[in-house]
Tab-separated table of all heavy atoms in Angstrom:
chain	number	residue	atom	x	y	z
A	120	MET	N	-21.730	-6.278	6.814
A	120	MET	CA	-20.294	-6.031	6.802
A	120	MET	C	-19.718	-6.786	5.604
A	120	MET	O	-18.964	-7.741	5.770
A	120	MET	CB	-19.630	-6.438	8.099
A	120	MET	CG	-18.184	-6.074	8.206
A	120	MET	SD	-17.403	-6.808	9.650
A	120	MET	CE	-15.778	-7.111	9.029
A	121	ALA	N	-20.053	-6.373	4.401
A	121	ALA	CA	-19.637	-7.009	3.168
A	121	ALA	C	-20.098	-6.115	2.045
A	121	ALA	O	-21.100	-5.422	2.206
A	121	ALA	CB	-20.214	-8.402	2.989
A	122	VAL	N	-19.436	-6.148	0.937
A	122	VAL	CA	-19.949	-5.439	-0.227
A	122	VAL	C	-21.031	-6.252	-0.902
A	122	VAL	O	-22.040	-5.698	-1.376
A	122	VAL	CB	-18.816	-5.022	-1.212
A	122	VAL	CG1	-18.180	-6.201	-1.874
A	122	VAL	CG2	-19.314	-4.056	-2.260
A	123	GLY	N	-20.873	-7.591	-0.962
A	123	GLY	CA	-21.888	-8.460	-1.530
A	123	GLY	C	-23.062	-8.525	-0.557
A	123	GLY	O	-22.871	-8.427	0.645
A	124	PHE	N	-24.255	-8.665	-1.098
A	124	PHE	CA	-25.427	-8.701	-0.182
A	124	PHE	C	-26.447	-9.754	-0.655
A	124	PHE	O	-27.646	-9.579	-0.484
A	124	PHE	CB	-26.036	-7.296	-0.061
A	124	PHE	CG	-26.329	-6.635	-1.374
A	124	PHE	CD1	-27.558	-6.776	-1.987
A	124	PHE	CD2	-25.367	-5.872	-2.011
A	124	PHE	CE1	-27.808	-6.195	-3.252
A	124	PHE	CE2	-25.598	-5.238	-3.218
A	124	PHE	CZ	-26.847	-5.408	-3.849
A	142	THR	N	-20.959	-2.507	2.482
A	142	THR	CA	-19.725	-1.767	2.701
A	142	THR	C	-18.893	-1.664	1.415
A	142	THR	O	-17.859	-2.334	1.251
A	142	THR	CB	-18.853	-2.433	3.816
A	142	THR	OG1	-18.601	-3.799	3.457
A	142	THR	CG2	-19.551	-2.386	5.152
A	146	LEU	N	-13.198	-1.784	0.463
A	146	LEU	CA	-12.460	-3.023	0.262
A	146	LEU	C	-12.013	-3.224	-1.211
A	146	LEU	O	-11.391	-4.220	-1.526
A	146	LEU	CB	-13.342	-4.236	0.696
A	146	LEU	CG	-14.779	-4.325	0.214
A	146	LEU	CD1	-14.915	-4.403	-1.267
A	146	LEU	CD2	-15.489	-5.508	0.861
A	150	THR	N	-9.296	-6.113	-2.231
A	150	THR	CA	-9.858	-7.288	-2.865
A	150	THR	C	-9.212	-7.500	-4.284
A	150	THR	O	-8.950	-8.601	-4.662
A	150	THR	CB	-11.381	-7.158	-2.936
A	150	THR	OG1	-11.873	-6.918	-1.628
A	150	THR	CG2	-12.025	-8.391	-3.526
A	283	ILE	N	-13.156	-14.808	-7.233
A	283	ILE	CA	-13.184	-14.052	-5.935
A	283	ILE	C	-14.553	-13.428	-5.768
A	283	ILE	O	-14.725	-12.538	-4.934
A	283	ILE	CB	-12.071	-12.955	-5.885
A	283	ILE	CG1	-12.186	-12.015	-7.091
A	283	ILE	CG2	-10.699	-13.579	-5.803
A	283	ILE	CD1	-11.420	-10.706	-6.900
A	284	ALA	N	-15.557	-13.915	-6.503
A	284	ALA	CA	-16.853	-13.278	-6.485
A	284	ALA	C	-17.738	-13.882	-5.409
A	284	ALA	O	-17.825	-13.370	-4.268
A	284	ALA	CB	-17.507	-13.386	-7.853
A	285	ARG	N	-18.387	-14.957	-5.684
A	285	ARG	CA	-19.262	-15.669	-4.765
A	285	ARG	C	-19.309	-17.103	-5.119
A	285	ARG	O	-19.238	-17.429	-6.318
A	285	ARG	CB	-20.665	-15.105	-4.814
A	285	ARG	CG	-20.952	-13.942	-3.904
A	285	ARG	CD	-20.967	-14.324	-2.444
A	285	ARG	NE	-21.196	-13.185	-1.577
A	285	ARG	CZ	-20.294	-12.308	-1.171
A	285	ARG	NH1	-19.052	-12.456	-1.496
A	285	ARG	NH2	-20.621	-11.301	-0.334
A	309	ASP	N	-11.563	-18.509	-3.959
A	309	ASP	CA	-11.699	-17.935	-2.623
A	309	ASP	C	-13.077	-18.151	-2.098
A	309	ASP	O	-13.348	-17.899	-0.920
A	309	ASP	CB	-11.334	-16.462	-2.641
A	309	ASP	CG	-11.304	-15.828	-1.243
A	309	ASP	OD1	-10.666	-16.423	-0.380
A	309	ASP	OD2	-11.928	-14.769	-1.042
A	310	VAL	N	-14.012	-18.569	-2.952
A	310	VAL	CA	-15.415	-18.703	-2.576
A	310	VAL	C	-15.973	-19.971	-3.163
A	310	VAL	O	-15.509	-20.444	-4.217
A	310	VAL	CB	-16.244	-17.469	-3.094
A	310	VAL	CG1	-15.961	-16.223	-2.262
A	310	VAL	CG2	-15.962	-17.179	-4.539
A	332	HIS	N	-12.351	-17.627	1.701
A	332	HIS	CA	-13.092	-16.401	1.555
A	332	HIS	C	-12.429	-15.258	2.346
A	332	HIS	O	-12.981	-14.674	3.289
A	332	HIS	CB	-14.555	-16.553	2.063
A	332	HIS	CG	-15.494	-15.547	1.515
A	332	HIS	ND1	-16.832	-15.809	1.211
A	332	HIS	CD2	-15.315	-14.248	1.196
A	332	HIS	CE1	-17.413	-14.717	0.742
A	332	HIS	NE2	-16.525	-13.758	0.762
A	335	SER	N	-10.962	-9.835	1.172
A	335	SER	CA	-10.939	-8.468	1.694
A	335	SER	C	-10.183	-8.466	3.066
A	335	SER	O	-10.159	-7.444	3.728
A	335	SER	CB	-12.370	-7.965	1.942
A	335	SER	OG	-12.999	-8.748	2.907
A	341	ARG	N	-10.599	-4.882	6.915
A	341	ARG	CA	-11.680	-5.505	7.706
A	341	ARG	C	-12.157	-4.519	8.788
A	341	ARG	O	-13.319	-4.423	9.130
A	341	ARG	CB	-11.258	-6.831	8.310
A	341	ARG	CG	-11.220	-7.983	7.273
A	341	ARG	CD	-12.647	-8.435	6.973
A	341	ARG	NE	-12.733	-9.304	5.793
A	341	ARG	CZ	-12.592	-10.607	5.784
A	341	ARG	NH1	-12.303	-11.270	6.925
A	341	ARG	NH2	-12.709	-11.277	4.670
A	344	MET	N	-14.303	-1.990	7.065
A	344	MET	CA	-15.638	-2.582	6.748
A	344	MET	C	-16.531	-2.589	7.983
A	344	MET	O	-17.667	-2.238	7.922
A	344	MET	CB	-15.456	-4.010	6.199
A	344	MET	CG	-14.855	-4.064	4.821
A	344	MET	SD	-14.268	-5.732	4.388
A	344	MET	CE	-15.832	-6.613	4.244
B	300	LIG	C1	-17.033	-10.338	0.718
B	300	LIG	O1	-17.191	-11.343	0.105
B	300	LIG	C2	-17.818	-9.173	0.525
B	300	LIG	O2	-18.833	-9.244	-0.180
B	300	LIG	O3	-17.478	-8.136	1.095
Side-chain angles (χ1 to χ4, degrees):
M120 185 188 147
V122 67
F124 51 90
T142 56
L146 50 60
T150 305
I283 55 164
R285 271 290 178 277
D309 186 48
V310 286
H332 202 147
S335 65
R341 284 284 167 89
M344 290 165 69

